[in-house]
Amino acid sequence: MNEIIQSCTSCNHTTNLAECYPRCPICNEPLNVSLIESGSINYEATWSDPFYIRYRDFYPYLDNTIKISLGEGLTPLMPLENVAKELNLSSVYVKNETLNPTWSFKDRGSVIGVMHAIKNGYSKIGTVSTGNMAASIAAYGAKAGLKTYIFVKGDMLPEKVNPIAIYGPKVLQVKGEYSVLYEQSLQIGQEKHIAFINSDVPMRIEGSKSIAYEICEQTGFNVPDFVIIPTSAGGNFRGIVKGFVEFYKAGIIKKIPRPVCVQSAGCAPIAKAFLNNEDTISHFGNTSTIAPAIGNPNPPSGNEVLRLLKRYLGLAVTVTNCEIIKAQKQLASYGVFSQPAGAVPLAALYKLTDELIPHDSSVALVTTGGGLKDSSVLGKHKLDAEVINISELSYKL
Ligand SMILES: *Cc1c(COP(=O)(O)O)cnc(C)c1O
Ligand SMILES: [Zn+2]
């Protein structure tokens, strides 16, 4: 096997894997860990082994004696037969990432990122986040017993800060531009030897690739034609595509699903650039979205997502707040309570089917995070509950 390194997604400049720095020192585009092009699934992994043991051939750089798993990954893939029938598709699946330890897919990247930081001698970790990633890093930092720094937005409400603070990290509510904070955290991390495990660092991509591996196994290696991914920074999108490419190169699957990037109409820097045929994204001004988890106006992996969309015949689309709320309710009607960001793939499916996603296609929707994380949005639904007297019970049924 060739040495495993990090290389720039744009100019191919290479750096040492031990450096917990996510961007190219030459062109400032994001870095990727080398493609792992051979390997097989470890069917001897037991049900209590973490996902990276099951797929250990594809994580050769990890030190598996570092045991900080919280049981992330290995989530269900659930068919939505009614939707498939309604839209004349051969199958529609939900990859239910709401079932992770801190209720979002972020836990996959957190476990890999924190293991990598520990292996490389870091005793301090951190992240910059609007919510899910903060809770996830705080949980793994607690489990690993590391000093953990969480930078969140200055105006974050206590109801959102508290579910992060409960794990006991140092939470700093920082006022100012969020994308500047991202860059600065990387700088400070280098100076103070803190591993900042931000949204699109190489090890987060490595965590997210397991979503693709699992979809391969759960469809009996008959992978879907399309995989629809809610996209903000672009890390999860990159990871899922990398996972399919690796299994394809290793001969485990016969085709690479076409990736679909979905964004909110009120914050769509990647979709806008894609639809305008541009090679680079530009800052999206005046954002407004009901799905804050996909609200990054200046996604650090935006240009790389555009490159991947081109390379793998992907699609990009936007959905409105109204469509998101409708999709959230519809998913709940099948028993899956997702937060708004996790519902956007279903909304996108309705937009794309017929014209861009042809009949009889098979599609996987990545439902990225759980609904209880964002209860403020429930007021947008018409949810009835009736107060009655105990004596009235029999009339009401
Ligand atoms: C982080 C997050 C996303 C966006 O993922 P990126 O890697 O930033 O593109 C989507 N949905 C949920 C629920 C998230 O927490
Ligand atoms: Zn570069």
Side-chain angles (χ1 to χ4, degrees):
M1 193 187 290
N2 292 332
E3 196 200 350
I4 297 175
I5 48 162
Q6 300 178 114
S7 53
C8 174
T9 54
S10 180
C11 77
N12 292 325
H13 174 80
T14 61
T15 49
N16 185 324
L17 198 60
E19 276 182 54
C20 289
Y21 191 72
R23 303 193 78 81
C24 175
I26 310 292
C27 75
N28 201 36
E29 279 293 291
L31 304 176
N32 244 350
V33 176
S34 314
L35 272 183
I36 315 289
E37 303 193 1
S38 62
S40 49
I41 297 165
N42 169 20
Y43 289 113
E44 269 151 36
T46 69
W47 68 267
S48 57
D49 280 323
F51 72 82
Y52 52 82
I53 300 293
R54 185 169 189 83
Y55 305 116
R56 66 184 171 195
D57 286 2
F58 298 87
Y59 293 99
Y61 46 80
L62 286 184
D63 175 354
N64 290 331
T65 63
I66 299 168
K67 295 199 187 307
I68 57 160
S69 173
L70 294 170
E72 58 293 317
L74 306 172
T75 58
L77 185 76
M78 187 181 104
L80 294 185
E81 279 124 0
N82 294 355
V83 177
K85 213 177 271 170
E86 181 192 342
L87 293 175
N88 278 312
L89 295 165
S90 72
S91 43
V92 176
Y93 300 100
V94 166
K95 182 62 171 159
N96 189 352
E97 290 295 298
T98 75
L99 291 166
N100 277 294
T102 72
W103 307 285
S104 86
F105 78 87
K106 297 288 197 305
D107 293 335
R108 297 178 187 261
S110 297
V111 74
I112 302 294
V114 177
M115 284 173 76
H116 187 68
I118 294 171
K119 178 181 168 184
N120 289 292
Y122 285 83
S123 60
K124 294 181 248 172
I125 58 168
T127 198
V128 178
S129 168
T130 54
N132 288 334
M133 195 162 51
S136 181
I137 283 296
Y140 286 87
K143 167 81 183 182
L146 300 177
K147 183 93 191 147
T148 304
Y149 298 92
I150 309 286
F151 297 171
V152 299
K153 284 185 176 171
D155 59 359
M156 196 183 239
L157 297 173
E159 71 199 52
K160 298 242 165 147
V161 177
N162 292 341
I164 300 164
I166 189 79
Y167 298 105
K170 176 98 188 134
V171 182
L172 295 173
Q173 292 192 243
V174 188
K175 294 178 186 158
E177 175 73 40
Y178 184 67
S179 47
V180 176
L181 188 56
Y182 173 96
E183 292 281 344
Q184 286 205 347
S185 70
L186 300 178
Q187 208 89 51
I188 292 167
Q190 286 217 306
E191 285 162 25
K192 309 231 167 189
H193 206 64
I194 304 167
F196 269 87
I197 304 165
N198 289 354
S199 50
D200 69 336
V201 301
M203 288 299 151
R204 268 203 186 282
I205 312 311
E206 294 298 292
S208 280
K209 72 185 189 180
S210 60
I211 294 176
Y213 299 162
E214 292 172 19
I215 292 174
C216 294
E217 282 203 72
Q218 289 167 311
T219 54
F221 305 101
N222 187 11
V223 290
D225 300 307
F226 296 88
V227 175
I228 310 186
I229 306 159
T231 306
S232 189
N236 197 34
F237 184 99
R238 288 173 54 203
I240 291 170
V241 172
K242 187 171 194 265
F244 285 122
V245 171
E246 290 185 338
F247 266 24
Y248 178 77
K249 298 246 177 187
I252 296 173
I253 53 172
K254 295 197 178 61
K255 69 167 187 204
I256 296 167
R258 293 175 63 188
V260 182
C261 159
V262 201
Q263 299 201 288
S264 205
C267 181
I270 302 173
K272 185 173 169 222
F274 179 82
L275 298 169
N276 289 337
N277 247 318
E278 281 155 356
D279 292 331
T280 55
I281 58 149
S282 32
H283 191 285
F284 200 91
N286 292 329
T287 60
S288 122
T289 172
I290 202 158
I294 51 168
N296 190 330
N298 199 16
S301 280
N303 297 337
E304 171 62 1
V305 170
L306 288 176
R307 291 189 281 270
L308 292 172
L309 285 170
K310 248 192 205 158
R311 195 173 312 148
Y312 298 109
L313 306 175
L315 302 169
V317 67
T318 64
V319 293
T320 63
N321 283 349
C322 212
E323 290 165 327
I324 294 171
I325 290 296
K326 195 170 154 217
Q328 185 185 33
K329 187 72 172 63
Q330 191 182 357
L331 271 181
S333 79
Y334 302 118
V336 177
F337 181 23
S338 142
Q339 61 189 247
V344 302
L346 182 60
L349 182 69
Y350 278 85
K351 274 210 149 146
L352 293 169
T353 301
D354 282 1
E355 217 176 301
L356 291 166
I357 294 184
H359 286 165
D360 291 327
S361 301
S362 55
V363 185
L365 314 173
V366 184
T367 295
T368 42
L372 283 179
K373 292 282 241 8
D374 193 354
S375 52
S376 61
V377 83
L378 293 177
K380 303 276 177 196
H381 292 280
K382 199 173 160 292
L383 303 174
D384 288 330
E386 202 179 343
V387 181
I388 61 162
N389 252 318
I390 196 159
S391 58
E392 294 175 284
L393 260 181
S394 60
Y395 304 113
K396 291 288 178 182
L397 304 178

